[in-house]
Amino acid sequence: MCFIYAAIFASLAHAQQIDVAGGLDTIFAAADSLATGNHQPQSLDGGAYPVVSADVLFHKHVGVQGEFAWRQGQGTYAPGELNIPYRTLFWDINAIWAPKVSKRIAAELMGGMGEQSTRFYSGSKFAASNHLMGDVGGGIKLYAWRHFFLRPEARLYLVNNNLEFSSAHALRYGVSIGYTFKPRD
């Protein structure tokens, strides 16, 4: 196990850049009235989603990025019928390409795989419904002061077998604030 940690830290030492960020996003998804086939008439739309992310660029502008977003408050599943409290979480690992546009602006394009986990609550217990997903997205890093940046961002989630909601697609968008370690010259 120590060998694995040593290998990870050794590779980070050779990184050209490391970014960490946190933000607040929301979800846009198909309305419940647009459910087709086996999809339930329940929209994933709306709600505040705090998000944390980090990336490591190894070779020129290419690297690895990971993020985690969760619904801040509980939604109500099947309102007026079942009224089950739920919360949705998304996590993903991506390949990232992050070219510098100017001294104060950098672009980010990414794509990868992850999971959507929806937790349905009953008192202090919950049952989870987990689905594999693909995601694509990007952002624009605007360096406001030294190594601090503001990043408008968007991600398109393509969720496999997401039958609990009206669509297998969801768009997360918002803004994050972050910091760059070991910036490229």
Side-chain angles (χ1 to χ4, degrees):
M1 191 64 153
C2 290
F3 175 74
I4 293 171
Y5 290 130
I8 290 170
F9 287 118
S11 64
L12 289 176
H14 295 299
Q16 292 181 357
Q17 180 174 314
I18 299 171
D19 298 314
V20 294
L24 191 61
D25 292 3
T26 191
I27 295 282
F28 173 77
D32 54 358
S33 61
L34 298 176
T36 60
N38 292 333
H39 289 276
Q40 296 300 312
Q42 174 74 38
S43 181
L44 191 55
D45 200 32
Y49 282 76
V51 59
V52 293
S53 65
D55 63 64
V56 178
L57 301 181
F58 293 108
H59 180 67
K60 296 187 181 185
H61 308 292
V62 177
V64 177
Q65 186 264 2
E67 60 192 356
F68 180 70
W70 65 98
R71 185 180 175 120
Q72 183 177 8
Q74 292 180 352
T76 303
Y77 193 84
E81 295 175 25
L82 301 175
N83 296 317
I84 300 171
Y86 77 94
R87 177 172 283 132
T88 306
L89 305 95
F90 298 94
W91 68 266
D92 50 82
I93 304 292
N94 301 301
I96 184 172
W97 179 56
K100 210 171 186 183
V101 176
S102 72
K103 185 176 180 176
R104 297 195 167 271
I105 300 172
E108 292 183 339
L109 296 173
M110 63 196 68
M113 301 289 289
E115 181 180 69
Q116 173 192 313
S117 178
T118 303
R119 298 180 178 193
F120 299 95
Y121 296 93
S122 175
S124 61
K125 299 178 182 180
F126 69 88
S129 175
N130 302 314
H131 300 286
L132 182 67
M133 68 175 194
D135 75 300
V136 294
I140 302 290
K141 285 193 291 193
L142 307 168
Y143 286 91
W145 182 69
R146 298 188 182 205
H147 302 268
F148 290 93
F149 61 84
L150 185 67
R151 180 182 60 209
E153 59 195 6
R155 304 288 183 275
L156 174 62
Y157 294 129
L158 307 168
V159 185
N160 187 43
N161 288 330
N162 192 25
L163 300 177
E164 290 86 8
F165 295 97
S166 57
S167 173
H169 308 94
L171 177 67
R172 190 188 93 225
Y173 61 93
V175 65
S176 288
I177 297 172
Y179 187 83
T180 297
F181 296 92
K182 299 175 81 172
R184 295 180 300 246
D185 295 326

